[in-house]
Amino acid sequence: TVINGVDTSNMTLQEAGEAIQREFKTYYLTLEGRNGVKGIIPGEYFDIHAIFDGSLEDLLLMQNNFKWPLELFKDHRMSIETMPKYDEDLLKQLVADLPFFQDENIIEPVDACISDYVKDSGYEIIPEVYGAKVNYEILFKAVKNAVENLEPALDLEEVDCYIKPDLTTQSPVLVKAVDELNKISGAEIIYEFGKDIEILDGNQISQWLSLTDDYEVVFDKSGVKDFVDYIGKTYNTFGKTRTFKTSYGTTITVKGGDYGWWLNRPLEVEELTELILAGEKLKREPAYFQTAQQYGDDDIGNTYVEVNLSAQRLFFYKNGKLIVESPFVSGNVSRGYATPTGTYPIQYKERDAILTGEDYASPVDYWMPFNRGIGFHDASWRSAFGKDIYKTNGSHGCINMPYNAAKTMFENIQRGVAVIVY
């Protein structure tokens, strides 16, 4: 017969009680925690002892008085447990005084978190720190259970009484956030403006990313707008003042006009934002309201029309080769229809058009507008071109050309070709 781990076979109730009490007097509980920290709770410090009530006595008597056949008792063992009694208030204080609750042994747990952006590696989850901070309530409950079962040792790890970090490297909210951050910051959009290249990648995109307290990814679209504004300010040439070398060998400054690169900023912000959020890697041509022939300081290139109003003569170059040189008649100066100077793009070209105004409707075979309603066209009603005709008998602003010159220009010119009027 074993009572609370003590062999009480063939003992009287009194003898069994004395044997068990001796065992209780020498009982102590050893506790092992993290970082080599240990604690001991001696049983005598919280008055642990056994109380034998009638139920135990009845069990012993039942063992001795059963009239079962002898063979039923062969190799039979009877194990009995009696609940130990102790001063719970003293035990609570002993637990509170354990080394695990001393300041030098307490290490606060630290949640896993997401690192700052690092070039080439992006965002990472910084692992949690488990620390060494014990939950008193859980430990006391485990100590009570150990004491009541007279267990000699208690492992704090096994009873899971350490306070855990709220977030670990496996926390779905962190995994989701870091995946989304790396997807967005992994975007790489390359713009080529001739010899100049602008690369938008994680170094800049990461500056537009942040996290809420709930680890929701926030993308600041104002950063995209600022970037697009920078592209516009840097590479737009719409309406800029240009230095131009004329066919006469002189270099002049030409102001005004609406020729040049003109970025569609609202559309570019919208489309660029979508590409970044999708984590795309690609080369991109920006969204433009209008384009020029080439990038760089000289955005006109070697295909253009030069219009000299003073000389009433134009030159059309295609790929650097002079295709048309011709006199013309421009806007009537005396009536306030002088042709505006500046640099403009050919808007389109049209065959067999009818040009209309308040007091005229003129059919033409070749129509090539470059400044709203002003453009190049043939003028079959004229017999002479050039000289001073434009001063008193000019057009409503258009460049009137001889038929063959207009035809040749029409056949060789395309939308977007620059027209320099000076």
Side-chain angles (χ1 to χ4, degrees), residues 34 50 71-72 85 113 122 147 153 158 179 212 234 279 283 297 318 323 337 342 346 352 363 365 402 404 406 416-417:
R34 290 177 183 168
E71 59 268 18
L72 292 181
K85 304 299 179 181
C113 60
V147 165
E158 291 182 0
D179 286 347
T212 66
T234 305
K283 289 184 179 180
D297 292 334
K318 183 177 182 180
I323 302 297
Y337 294 141
I346 292 291
D352 302 324
D365 288 350
N404 288 335
V417 168

Side-chain angles (χ1 to χ4, degrees), residues 77-224:
R77 292 180 61 82
M78 185 173 187
S79 181
I80 303 171
E81 294 290 334
T82 180
M83 290 294 290
K85 304 299 179 181
Y86 55 88
D87 188 325
E88 187 166 318
D89 290 335
L90 286 176
L91 183 60
K92 285 182 178 178
Q93 187 58 50
L94 289 169
V95 172
D97 291 339
L98 286 168
F100 312 109
F101 299 104
Q102 295 173 3
D103 290 343
E104 62 267 25
N105 295 323
I106 297 174
I107 302 174
E108 294 284 345
V110 179
D111 285 346
C113 60
I114 297 176
S115 70
D116 292 333
Y117 176 83
V118 177
K119 185 179 180 181
D120 298 329
S121 60
Y123 294 89
E124 296 178 338
I125 297 179
I126 300 174
E128 66 280 5
V129 176
Y130 280 92
K133 186 175 184 179
V134 175
N135 183 308
Y136 175 86
E137 286 74 17
I138 296 176
L139 178 58
F140 180 71
K141 183 178 180 181
V143 168
K144 279 188 63 176
N145 183 67
V147 165
E148 290 169 1
N149 289 281
L150 297 179
E151 294 176 358
L154 179 66
D155 188 326
L156 273 64
E157 292 283 8
E158 291 182 0
V159 297
D160 199 22
C161 65
Y162 283 102
I163 297 174
K164 298 181 178 67
D166 293 326
L167 297 172
T168 70
T169 54
Q170 303 303 315
S171 295
V173 66
L174 289 185
V175 173
K176 178 184 176 184
V178 81
D179 286 347
E180 187 171 356
L181 287 169
N182 282 326
K183 175 184 176 182
I184 297 173
S185 64
E188 183 180 77
I189 313 300
I190 300 174
Y191 293 89
E192 295 181 345
F193 301 98
K195 296 180 180 179
D196 296 318
I197 297 177
E198 298 288 345
I199 300 177
L200 178 62
D201 57 18
N203 289 324
Q204 193 160 0
I205 295 172
S206 63
Q207 299 175 29
W208 309 334
L209 293 170
S210 61
L211 291 169
T212 66
D213 292 340
D214 296 328
Y215 288 92
E216 292 293 328
V217 176
V218 177
F219 181 69
D220 184 3
K221 293 183 179 179
S222 67
V224 182

Side-chain angles (χ1 to χ4, degrees), residues 377-392:
H377 62 78
D378 55 293
S380 58
W381 56 88
R382 292 190 182 276
S383 58
F385 297 87
K387 299 183 179 180
D388 295 334
I389 299 173
Y390 74 103
K391 294 182 178 179
T392 57

Side-chain angles (χ1 to χ4, degrees), residues 257-275:
D258 58 6
Y259 176 83
W261 297 102
W262 182 13
L263 185 66
N264 184 338
R265 299 190 188 192
L267 181 57
E268 183 60 20
V269 168
E270 178 183 344
E271 294 183 352
L272 180 56
T273 298
E274 292 178 359
L275 292 173

